[in-house]
Amino acid sequence: SAVPKISDTPQKNSRILLRGEPPSPYDERSGCPFFSRCPMAHEECATCSPALISADGTNHLSSCLYPEEVQNL
């Protein structure tokens, strides 16, 4: 929701508010580092570290086990 959308008519985007505290960079744990704050997190996200991959074959990189779900927010 932080990415602006270009449009001819002004419109207010709904914001996705993250809950919880960001994880400590000193805490070494497995899984996705964003798991505790992600609104789309699955149980697998707590244990599997996602690889950095190209999203939609572009130069935009994503590190998510479920990028399609997050992209549709």
Side-chain angles (χ1 to χ4, degrees), residues 2-72:
V3 178
K5 293 182 174 69
I6 298 173
S7 173
D8 291 335
T9 58
Q11 53 185 311
K12 185 145 176 111
N13 294 337
S14 61
R15 299 292 299 185
I16 299 171
L17 300 176
L18 301 177
R19 302 195 190 286
E21 293 292 319
S24 168
Y26 303 109
D27 184 16
E28 292 186 36
R29 62 181 190 190
S30 63
C32 177
F34 197 59
F35 170 74
S36 64
R37 302 187 75 201
C38 180
M40 302 301 289
H42 295 263
E43 298 233 359
E44 183 181 16
C45 301
T47 57
C48 295
S49 296
L52 190 62
I53 58 170
S54 174
D56 299 333
T58 66
N59 289 333
H60 178 85
L61 299 177
S62 171
S63 183
C64 181
L65 296 171
Y66 302 95
E68 297 85 18
E69 289 182 30
V70 175
Q71 190 174 35
N72 293 327

